[in-house]
């Protein structure tokens, strides 16, 4: 079959499919079979040179429930076959489930997912033999030259074999082996299923650990649930469900089940960086890595020997965890403001061990928070025991990435300009500027304004922190009104 040479760096420019904060992302119309094929061949070639991968190895492939996912999985499988590898179809399972399978089997793992973004976009998340690719690995993939069949074979769907159920079952067993058999006994838990790929596994796991579950709002149409910017309709749904069904908690995930949502008995969704702290406390973690956008409650609670702040994105959190582990810490983990929890080292609890899983995971957060709530009172009492720091965030959609980057660059380092703009909103003086990722401003009343262009979509995000939930929301509302005007300018 005729072939053409593709340089990945050039392909990224032509196709519009590029690396974001976690994997390659792009519009579905741009993620054509040849583009996805080329990325996969480049990934495998890079592993051959960097990790000694050799043809004949298996490659795990899974995906989320977006309409475009099956086609991309098939193109990925065809690339594996043509490169001499054996694709393993793990089916539609959570991102951490296929990553776990790859780590335990010592093989690459590829997840087709756009995470929480709308289904007109999708992505490919690559895991090398020990876990996620990092930023240096992305550079190595970009540098590859690959061959792509032209015309692209019409029968490429035949490359994807039938589903192997073992990866999904192994992921379930991971938690059944760690948590006591009746860890959730007596809890009434609502499972907001929407279109999350982990909905059936999560429901099964909760039931096997003793919870009385109520399934809520299953959808066969993809719903872009973002755990950092919860939709107003999801806020209202949770409140209604809590009242209607008398639930102790409501749980859910984003589309690929690597980011959790946990609500208390009133239906109030907890922030991801709050449940991240609660999960780390339950697991008795010694040192944590978390992005600069996470709530300062992690330092103020005094539960951890050290907190390493990083740029936003799991590759940066993983690099931070690796550095902490290199210092000889007893236990190391990380979490993101979206709630995804990463475990760098094994942890022990009540004679059971949970092996490391250095990729975002939603299930461990949900299970740890629910188990802690059952032991200590309730989800709301767990949150109330933390220092009173509250975060609220939102985003301006359809905000061109180039425009937001230009605005951030113009404001960076100009304390006088920043205070003139945002001091009016906080009615306070700026005392700190952190440019680690975007611009994070701290004021002398301890309020925080953090501006950051999204790494996955044309959006400008704003994170705000204050000493009450009402003030954090009001602060965010004022900031969003300002940012909306910037988009029009």
């Amino acid at each position: 079959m005729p072939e053409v040479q593709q340089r990945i760096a050039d392909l990224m420019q032509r196709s519009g499919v590029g690396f974001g904060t976690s994997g390659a992302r792009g519009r579905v119309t741009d993620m054509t079979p040849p583009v996805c094929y080329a990325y996969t061949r480049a990934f495998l070639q890079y592993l051959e040179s960097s990790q000694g991968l050799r043809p004949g190895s298996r490659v795990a492939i899974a995906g989320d429930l977006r309409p475009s996912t099956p086609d991309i999985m098939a193109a990925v499988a065809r690339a594996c076959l043509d490169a001499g590898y054996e694709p393993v179809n793990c089916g539609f399972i959570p991102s951490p489930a296929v990553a776990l399978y790859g780590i335990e089997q010592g093989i690459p793992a590829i997840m087709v997912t756009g995470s929480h973004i709308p289904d007109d976009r999708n992505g490919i998340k690559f895991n090398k033999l020990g876990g996620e690719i990092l930023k240096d690995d992305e550079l190595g993939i970009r540098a590859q030259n690959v061959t792509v069949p032209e015309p692209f074979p019409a029968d490429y769907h035949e490359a994807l074999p039938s589903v192997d159920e073992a990866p999904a079952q192994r992921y379930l067993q991971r938690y059944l082996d760690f948590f006591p058999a009746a860890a959730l006994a007596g809890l009434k838990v609502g499972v907001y299923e929407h279109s999350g790929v982990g909905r059936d596994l999560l429901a099964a796991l909760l039931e096997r650990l003793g919870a009385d579950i109520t399934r809520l709002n299953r959808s066969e149409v993809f719903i872009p649930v973002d755990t950092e910017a919860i939709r107003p309709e999801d806020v209202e749904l949770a409140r209604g469900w809590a009242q209607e069904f008398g639930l102790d908690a409501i749980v859910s995930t984003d589309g690929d089940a690597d980011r959790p949502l946990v609500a208390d008995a009133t239906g109030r969704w907890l922030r991801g960086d709050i449940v991240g702290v609660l999960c780390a406390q339950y697991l008795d973690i010694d040192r944590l890595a978390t992005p600069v956008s996470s709530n300062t409650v992690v330092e103020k609670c005094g539960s951890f020997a050290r907190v390493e702040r990083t740029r936003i994105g799991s590759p940066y959190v993983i690099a931070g965890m690796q550095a902490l582990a290199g210092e000889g810490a007893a236990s190391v983990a990380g979490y993101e403001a979206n709630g995804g929890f990463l475990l760098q080292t094994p942890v022990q609890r009540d004679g059971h061990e949970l092996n490391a899983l250095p990729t975002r995971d939603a299930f461990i957060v949900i299970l740890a928070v629910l188990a802690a709530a059952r032991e200590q009172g309730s989800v709301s009492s767990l949150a109330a025991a933390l220092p009173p720091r509250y975060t609220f965030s939102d985003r301006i959609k359809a905000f061109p990435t180039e425009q937001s980057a230009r605005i951030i660059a113009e404001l960076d380092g100009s304390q006088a300009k920043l205070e003139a703009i945002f001091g009016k909103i906080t009615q306070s003086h700026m005392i700190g500027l952190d440019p680690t990722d975007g611009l994070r401003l701290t004021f002398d009343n301890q309020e925080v304004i953090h501006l950051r262009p999204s790494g996955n979509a044309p959006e400008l995000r704003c994170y705000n922190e204050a000493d009450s939930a009402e003030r954090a929301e009001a602060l965010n509302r004022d900031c969003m009104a300002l940012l909306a005007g910037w988009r029009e300018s």
Side-chain angles (χ1 to χ4, degrees), residues 370-424:
L370 292 180
R374 181 176 179 270
E375 292 175 7
Q376 301 175 37
S378 67
V379 172
S380 58
S381 66
L382 294 175
L386 296 174
R389 297 298 297 166
Y390 297 87
T391 307
F392 196 93
S393 63
D394 205 346
R395 57 192 169 165
I396 300 288
K397 297 182 180 180
F399 202 118
T401 302
E402 299 79 8
Q403 183 182 2
S404 57
R406 175 177 53 80
I407 291 170
I408 296 296
E410 290 174 355
L411 293 174
D412 188 9
S414 179
Q415 182 160 338
K417 185 182 294 186
L418 287 165
E419 183 158 339
I421 296 171
F422 295 103
K424 296 177 183 178

Side-chain angles (χ1 to χ4, degrees), residues 209-244:
L209 291 175
D212 176 10
I213 71 164
T214 301
R215 295 172 179 261
L216 303 164
N217 277 38
R218 188 182 185 93
S219 173
E220 299 310 315
V221 176
F222 188 82
I223 298 174
V225 172
D226 186 346
T227 60
E228 278 191 284
I230 301 172
R231 304 179 310 156
E233 53 263 52
D234 290 330
V235 172
E236 292 304 316
L237 283 170
R239 289 172 179 165
W241 291 330
Q243 184 174 12
E244 179 181 357

Side-chain angles (χ1 to χ4, degrees), residues 450-470:
H450 183 186
L451 309 177
R452 175 183 175 268
S454 172
N456 296 321
E459 300 171 350
L460 182 58
R461 291 182 178 267
C462 181
Y463 311 80
N464 298 97
E465 185 178 326
D467 58 8
S468 74
E470 295 76 16

